[in-house]
Structures are given as C-alpha cells and as structure tokens.
Amino acid sequence: MRISIKIKFSIFLAALLLLTVFILSLLVLRGIKINQVEQYEKYLARQTETANVYFMQTILAESNKIPQIFLNTKGVEFAKQLELLTGQTVVMYDENGKVVSKKTTPSRPDSIGQTLEFALEGKTAYLVEQDMLYYLTPLNVENEQVGVIQFYYSLTEDNEFYNRIRQTFITIGASIFILSFILAYIYFNSFAIGIIKLEQMVDRVRKGHYEITVLRRRDEIGRLSVGIHAMSNQIRSTLKDMEEEQEKLTLAVNKLSLLDQQQKQFIGNVTHEFKTPLTSIKAYLDLLEMYPDDDELLETAQTNIKSETERLYEMVDKVLQLSTLEKYDFEYNPEKIEINQITSSVLQSLSGKMNKFGIKLEAELTEAYVNADKDSIIIILVNLLDNAIKYNKIDGKIFVKNYIHEEQVYIEITDTGIGIPKEAVTRVFEPFYTVDKNRSRQSGGAGLGLSLVKKYIDKQGGSIKLINSDENGTTFRISFPEA
Ligand code: ADP
C-alpha cells in the first residue's frame, strides 16, 4: 500500500507531540507521587510523635507506671483517647505483637505480619494495600520499645487526585495527537500539492512533453520546479539539435548515395557512348585491312572515321568540361559582359550552319549587362543555339531576344523545331539523356549539351527554364542578375 507523504509527515509530527506529552506526564505524575508520599510520611511521623508524647504523659499520670502492664490493661482505652487526639483509627500492639486495643478495627491484610515484625524491631514501616496505608511505628518510653502503634491512612483522595491528573494527561495527549495530525495534514498538504505537481512535471518530461509551467513558490519546491523547467528546455533543445543533425545526416547520406548512383550511371553512359563510335571506327579499319584496294570503301571509311572521331572528340571535350564543373575549385573569371554583343557574335559564328539547313534567324536584342565568365556564356549560347538548329525543321526559324525585368537579364531562344515530349521535359538536363538516340547520333549529340549548359548557368548564379515545348517548337529562357 502506498502511504502518501503528507500522511507520513502528519503521523510523524503527531507522534512526536504525543511522545512529548507522554514524557511530560510521566515526569509530572512522578512528581505528584513523590510529593504525596513526602506529605503523608511527614504527617504520620508527626502523629507518631504525638502518640509517643501522649503515651508518656498518660503513663506518668498513672499509679502503675509499668508501660507493658498499662498497655495490656488499659490499651483499649488509650487507643480510644489516641484516636480522638489524632483523628486516626489506631491499633495498638504490645511488645510481642499482640493487639491490645479494641478488636473491632478495620480488617487487616494478611501480609501485615512482616511489616509488624519490622515495627517490633524498632523500625517504622508501612504497607499500602489498594487505597489503604497501614503505618506501623514503635511505641517508645525513654528510648525503650514497649509496643507498636498502627495508624490507618486513607489514600483515596491522593489516588483520586493522581488518577484525575493522569486521566487529564491521557485526554490532553489524545487531543494533541488528533489536533496536531489534522493541523499537520492541512499544513503538509500545501507541500504535498507542490511535490505532486513536481512529480507530474517529471512525468510529463519522461513522456516527451517538454512544455511545463513553473510553480509560483518562493521555497525549495518553487526552485526545484524552475530547475526541472530549465532541464526540460535543455533536453528539448538537445533533442531538437540531435533531430536536426540526424536530418542533415540522412540528407547527406541520401545525397551521397544519389551522387554515387549518378556517378556509376555516368561512367556506364560514358563507356556506352564511347564504345559506339569506337566500334564503328574499328569496323571500318578491319574492312580496310581485308579490302585494301577497294577505293569506294576507303572513301566511305574516311568520311565515317572522320565524323566518328569528331563525335568522340566533342564527347571527350564535354565530359571533361562536365567533370571540371563538378570540382569545387572550378575557376572562372567573371566580368561585365554586354549580352547584345556576345549573342550577336555567337549568332554570327553559327550563321553558316543555319544557312546549311535553310534556317532563318530573327533577333531582337537590346543592351544589357551581366557579370559572368565570357567563355561560359559563349558555351551556353552555342549549345542552346546548336540544339535549336539540330532539332529544327527544314527551312525553320530561330528567334532570339533579350530583355531586362526586375534587375534580371533574360535571353530567350525559340525554334520552330520538333519540340520535346512532355515526359522528357524534366529529364533533358540530365547527362547523356536523349529523347531520340538515333536522331541525336545523326546530329552528333550524346545528351551532354543541356546538362553542361545547366551546370555553367548554376555556377554563375543564373537559371535556365524550358518555358515552352510543343509540336510548333521549343523555347528556352535563361536569366542572370543584371550587372
Ligand atoms: P544532345 O547533345 O544530344 O543534343 P542535349 O543535352 O543538348 O543533348 O539535349 C538533350 C535532348 O533534348 C536531346 O536529345 C533532344 O532530344 C532534346 N532537345 C534539346 N534541345 C532541343 C530543342 N531545341 N528542340 C527539340 N529537342 C531538343
């Protein structure tokens, strides 16, 4: 059974007070007893003195002055006189212990014999039986014992007084016990409420609820609640930190495994994409070995080996650029570039290729400045425009414009080409992703152009978006902060 702390404290305090009352009552009752004994001993000693003096006077007045004879002959009468004088019931014994006074004295206890023997030996002795005290004292004449006087002394009053006081103490003790228990219970209850609240606070924290209210008290319990509150806050913030750390760690692990996966895929793609032109070159070389005199084969082989080698060269170049961009210490030299100028010169350099495919160009360029690496901007524009040519229709169009909006410089490249299917829109920036392998291969691409473009743009704080693509063509928009 669980006894609450307030009951334990209350019982302890009440028991302590009860013990105090008990010890006090013992001392007081003992004092009363000693005092009572002293009183009646003194009183009976005086009575003894009176009896002895009176006996002496009576003897002297008698003709026969032998005390023993007097006692035996006039003992009854003397005892009566003495009773009148002392106001006590008196029994008289001769020197042999024989009763010489009236026989109708109050009943004597059997054990009085021993006390009588003491008295006969000249000593005063008394016996207490219930409320009655039998006081036996020698009767002396000129220092010679002639008999024994026995006084009866009632202890009823003394005992009643003693019992009354004892009863009072019992009542006081019981009342103090009950009262102190009630008062202590009320007093400790306020502490117990505090302790119960502290227990509830700790319980809440244990269950993971860290919002707790501090107790408005100025004592140790109040301070303890402040301590628990501080501890709970500390635990909460530590847990939060740990959770955040764990979250970061999980993110880092996920990112690392994604990177690892991407890297593996990248290597797989590189191997695959490199193998195709190399296989083609090897096949032509094998054929030339077998038919060294076939002029027609020589011509075809030359053309194909040249184009495959160019493709390989371009791929190696792009892969190298991509891996350079992956490095943290990739260096580029930002400078203030005029977009109109640089776009015009890139368009100029590609005009031959456009003409080859009968593609018409429309440009709407205005003066705008950005802070960027010139070579990177050229690579970006060349790749985007190259795609706009490669994936255009015969006699198609390319429309290039730039503008400034909210401190951003935008360049939009729109073509009237085949468009990018919806399912491919989110993947075109992945390395080695091509919508149509054959078409890309025909046009010399390996799915690296857009991923390279995005990397260059990201590195310089810009952004690229495929804003429109359908069967009528495609529009890419790039933007950089205005310089
Ligand atoms: P590639 O070097 O093969 O052209 P890119 O990374 O430049 O690779 O482009 C990825 C894919 O996106 C291409 O295979 C092509 O199918 C598609 N694509 C890119 N630009 C255009 C465009 N202007 N019009 C249509 N399709 C495009």
Side-chain angles (χ1 to χ4, degrees):
M1 191 181 68
R2 206 177 135 201
I3 300 173
S4 81
I5 197 160
K6 49 191 175 184
I7 292 198
K8 277 185 194 163
F9 275 146
S10 307
I11 290 177
F12 176 73
L13 195 79
L16 205 65
L17 286 173
L18 188 65
L19 184 71
T20 312
V21 173
F22 177 70
I23 292 170
L24 206 69
S25 69
L26 277 187
L27 291 173
V28 171
L29 289 172
R30 196 162 166 265
I32 289 173
K33 196 50 112 197
I34 290 170
N35 185 265
Q36 282 178 342
V37 171
E38 268 176 15
Q39 289 299 318
Y40 63 65
E41 276 183 354
K42 246 190 227 169
Y43 172 74
L44 289 165
R46 271 202 311 274
Q47 297 290 51
T48 306
E49 219 172 286
T50 309
N52 273 303
V53 170
Y54 183 59
F55 187 72
M56 194 66 183
Q57 283 174 351
T58 315
I59 289 285
L60 287 176
E62 284 292 316
S63 52
N64 182 357
K65 291 187 176 31
I66 299 165
Q68 286 82 2
I69 295 173
F70 173 78
L71 264 183
N72 279 313
T73 52
K74 294 190 177 166
V76 175
E77 211 175 305
F78 179 75
K80 250 189 209 165
Q81 292 295 324
L82 197 58
E83 275 180 357
L84 287 173
L85 188 73
T86 59
Q88 304 273 161
T89 308
V90 173
V91 176
M92 298 211 54
Y93 301 89
D94 66 8
E95 58 189 341
N96 300 317
K98 195 179 113 214
V99 177
V100 291
S101 57
K102 217 169 117 193
K103 295 285 183 294
T104 54
T105 47
S107 63
R108 298 186 312 160
D110 297 337
S111 51
I112 203 148
Q114 211 183 348
T115 319
L116 184 60
E117 268 172 37
F118 269 110
L120 289 171
E121 283 167 16
K123 296 170 202 158
T124 299
Y126 59 82
L127 171 75
V128 176
E129 282 277 331
Q130 289 165 359
D131 281 356
M132 194 56 84
L133 186 139
Y134 302 91
Y135 189 83
L136 284 89
T137 183
L139 180 65
N140 296 327
V141 174
E142 289 173 349
N143 290 333
E144 197 186 320
Q145 184 170 3
V146 292
V148 169
I149 308 172
Q150 177 190 311
F151 292 114
Y152 290 95
Y153 182 81
S154 170
L155 291 173
T156 311
E157 262 182 48
D158 283 5
N159 284 349
E160 268 175 15
F161 177 71
Y162 182 86
N163 286 337
R164 228 178 16 252
I165 298 291
R166 198 176 60 175
Q167 194 53 47
T168 311
F169 270 119
I170 290 171
T171 316
I172 290 173
S175 314
I176 281 183
F177 183 80
I178 293 166
L179 201 71
S180 59
F181 179 82
I182 294 169
L183 290 177
Y185 187 85
I186 294 167
Y187 182 66
F188 286 128
N189 198 30
S190 72
F191 281 101
I193 285 171
I195 293 170
I196 289 166
K197 282 193 179 154
L198 285 181
E199 195 193 5
Q200 285 167 351
M201 279 164 101
V202 174
D203 207 41
R204 275 181 67 77
V205 174
R206 198 171 36 211
K207 284 177 183 155
H209 306 295
Y210 301 106
E211 315 75 36
I212 48 175
T213 325
V214 172
L215 299 182
R216 299 255 164 263
R217 292 172 69 130
R218 288 183 183 190
D219 54 8
E220 285 82 352
I221 290 177
R223 286 206 292 278
L224 199 61
S225 82
V226 172
I228 293 173
H229 184 257
M231 247 163 57
S232 138
N233 280 347
Q234 187 65 41
I235 293 172
R236 180 165 46 181
S237 78
T238 313
L239 276 177
K240 206 175 150 212
D241 287 352
M242 270 169 64
E243 272 166 22
E244 275 171 13
E245 286 302 316
Q246 201 168 352
E247 230 167 80
K248 278 185 202 161
L249 212 68
T250 315
L251 276 177
V253 169
N254 288 347
K255 208 171 172 182
L256 269 177
S257 71
L258 188 75
L259 275 176
D260 186 49
Q261 217 177 322
Q262 280 175 349
Q263 207 173 16
K264 278 180 188 153
Q265 202 179 344
F266 185 80
I267 291 168
N269 286 334
V270 168
T271 321
H272 179 76
E273 293 299 328
F274 278 32
K275 223 175 153 185
T276 319
L278 282 172
T279 313
S280 166
I281 292 168
K282 193 177 176 293
Y284 276 113
L285 289 173
D286 286 348
L287 279 173
L288 280 175
E289 216 172 25
M290 283 162 69
Y291 310 104
D293 302 328
D294 189 335
D295 291 340
E296 203 178 327
L297 176 69
L298 185 68
E299 204 176 318
T300 326
Q302 255 176 350
T303 319
N304 279 300
I305 289 173
K306 191 170 179 262
S307 78
E308 291 295 359
T309 312
E310 270 167 14
R311 204 164 103 81
L312 258 178
Y313 183 83
E314 204 179 312
M315 248 164 43
V316 170
D317 185 47
K318 283 185 178 172
V319 168
L320 278 177
Q321 282 185 50
L322 266 179
S323 65
T324 312
L325 285 169
E326 289 294 339
K327 286 188 197 161
Y328 292 106
D329 56 355
F330 165 73
E331 269 182 33
Y332 70 100
N333 303 310
E335 57 182 305
K336 198 169 177 182
I337 299 168
E338 210 283 285
I339 286 298
N340 182 358
Q341 254 177 30
I342 204 162
T343 314
S344 301
S345 80
V346 171
L347 286 171
Q348 183 63 42
S349 67
L350 288 169
S351 59
K353 200 170 182 181
M354 284 188 224
N355 288 339
K356 191 178 156 194
F357 294 101
I359 291 167
K360 285 197 180 68
L361 173 74
E362 270 181 46
E364 204 178 278
L365 299 169
T366 56
E367 194 177 324
Y369 293 89
V370 296
N371 254 332
D373 177 61
K374 198 175 172 184
D375 293 340
S376 303
I377 296 289
I378 292 172
I379 294 170
I380 293 163
L381 290 171
V382 166
N383 273 286
L384 288 173
L385 286 164
D386 191 47
N387 280 353
I389 299 167
K390 278 193 307 192
Y391 303 109
N392 218 320
K393 291 167 189 162
I394 306 287
D395 299 330
K397 265 188 200 166
I398 293 178
F399 181 63
V400 182
K401 70 167 181 176
N402 76 326
Y403 56 92
I404 302 166
H405 179 65
E406 291 179 354
E407 294 178 355
Q408 290 281 320
V409 175
Y410 292 91
I411 307 168
E412 277 183 18
I413 298 169
T414 307
D415 61 61
T416 52
I418 53 169
I420 299 169
K422 275 203 171 50
E423 62 276 12
V425 165
T426 51
R427 300 200 56 195
V428 287
F429 295 107
E430 288 174 17
F432 293 106
Y433 180 79
T434 50
V435 175
D436 182 343
K437 277 261 177 277
N438 288 334
R439 179 147 188 172
S440 282
R441 195 155 293 141
Q442 274 167 25
S443 53
L448 290 170
L450 284 181
S451 63
L452 204 59
V453 164
K454 186 160 167 40
K455 280 252 154 59
Y456 272 116
I457 291 174
D458 288 348
K459 281 274 175 187
Q460 291 175 88
S463 72
I464 178 161
K465 225 173 169 188
L466 171 58
I467 55 167
N468 177 50
S469 188
D470 53 30
E471 66 278 7
N472 298 320
T474 305
T475 305
F476 280 99
R477 183 173 67 196
I478 55 174
S479 71
F480 289 100
E482 190 186 8

